[in-house]
Amino acid sequence: MKLPVIPYPQQVRQLDGVYRLPEGGIHVTYRQDDTIAPEGYRLTVGAGILIAHADRAGKLNAERTLRQIVRHCAGREIPCCEIHDAPRCRHRGFMLDCVRHFFTVEEIKRMIDAMAMFKMNVFHWHLTDDQGWRIQIDRYPLLTEVGSKRPYSDFGRDYEPGEYGGVYTKDDVREIVAYCEERCVEVIPEIEFPGHATAILAAYPDLSCDGHPVQVSTRGGVHTNTICVSSEKTMEFVKNVLSEVVELFPGKRIHLGGDEAPKDHWMNCPHCQEYMKAHGLKNALELQCDFTNRVAEFLKQYGKTAIVWSDSIKGHNLSPEVTSQYWVGDIDLTAEHLNKGGRTIMSTCGTFYLDMSYGQTAVSTTYKGFETIPGVLPEREAGILGIETPLWTEFIQNFDRLAFQAFPRAAAAAERAWSPAELTDVEDFKARFKLLSADLAELGVVPAPEKLWDMSKPRRIWDALKYWHHAMTRDDIQKFIAQMKRERKEAEYEREN
Ligand code: TNX
């Protein structure tokens, strides 16, 4: 077996001899070396231990590697070696949905530690959705008072009685941000517009096209409650919210959501129709892109760029300055966005979604990752920033379940994003992961049992059926069909124009 390290380094040269761990703890000599790549390092284990790095992230990454080697090589001896390492992808992210279920600051910190152990460097924090608004915004107190609570929860076949809610105060946010900063992890907050907006509209109904009152949602799936994308009042709200958000997050990127935004309201809103005419927008897909472009333009003055889910590129007029995060649908659109000079983060749902059951997405599936995006010009491939693993929490009610869903798949994705593409032996990955799961256990993070990692075909089918039976009631299936029809209609708008 290889050295007990995940993600496996770019280059490992084993040298003769062993290094005996001294009784009083190991002593490391550090050297700053600007020729080393960002986040990269050189670790030499010989007569002594030497770490060379250009930046603080590189130093931390070297220490993460060293800790794994020291703890998991047998006995008090480690093999002498020289490691040259740097990430393949610069974006190695983990997304946590804190809306469908709420996780405490302490739980989030534990998850961040678990991710950072595998050199993930982005924490994408999903903070707003139909079922709750989870970040304090001083100017709009009703987002907390009304928008952060739902009367009960009813996801698929899981019914949880009793009011459910939670909100992160600005101090909570600062605490998470500082915690991530110490670990060289970028925090990307996600504030969803224009879809997944039911909680916003429950608090401020006049931000929708028709102003009808709605309630914070108690169920999953796609909701038609979108904000009105053509009204001044709505734009002012979006800007005011974001100007408080940008102050809290020192990172350069803000996620604007933008997935699953049904166009029903905009098609029936005289104001939206007028806006489309005035701005030469041919259909509602272009209208959504136009909205996103305006918000992205606003963020620019704060030195921030926007990220959106890949649904938002369907209008073809999204600015290439906005990064798209691919999760499902026509991959050609992503190629088109890249070829225009745009960027993408890969979160393909069948590969990287951690909320899927292990029957649907086996460890070996996540480990395979993706090869290339067909149709991308070679000179545009650098726009593929990396990989992110989203963890949606409709069916995840507590931290233990979170850990179960996340590991080992998040570690598999972390290795895919960091290590050389030629590294494809999933069995070797699993052997290393088994050793390292002791480190996770110390954080109270218990991975799924090995028997689930790669099940036989019949068991996978059975497991997938069980998942869908659990996730979907008859009512959900009807809603799902309605959504499919809606998407077909969207495709028609496009073809007609
Ligand atoms: C779709 S993935 C969503 C989420 C759900 C997820 C899983 C994405 C961008 N949107 O709102 O949680 O499916 O059910």
Side-chain angles (χ1 to χ4, degrees), residues 97 100 129 196 259-260 309 311 327 353 355 392 394:
D97 168 7
R100 277 57 175 271
D129 215 304
H196 286 279
D259 57 312
E260 300 177 324
W309 293 107
D311 317 41
W327 68 285
Y353 269 32
D355 47 317
W392 302 102
E394 286 93 336

Side-chain angles (χ1 to χ4, degrees), residues 176-190:
I176 293 286
V177 166
Y179 199 78
C180 286
E181 213 156 43
E182 272 171 46
R183 287 153 184 78
C184 289
V185 170
E186 172 190 0
V187 188
I188 301 179
E190 180 180 348

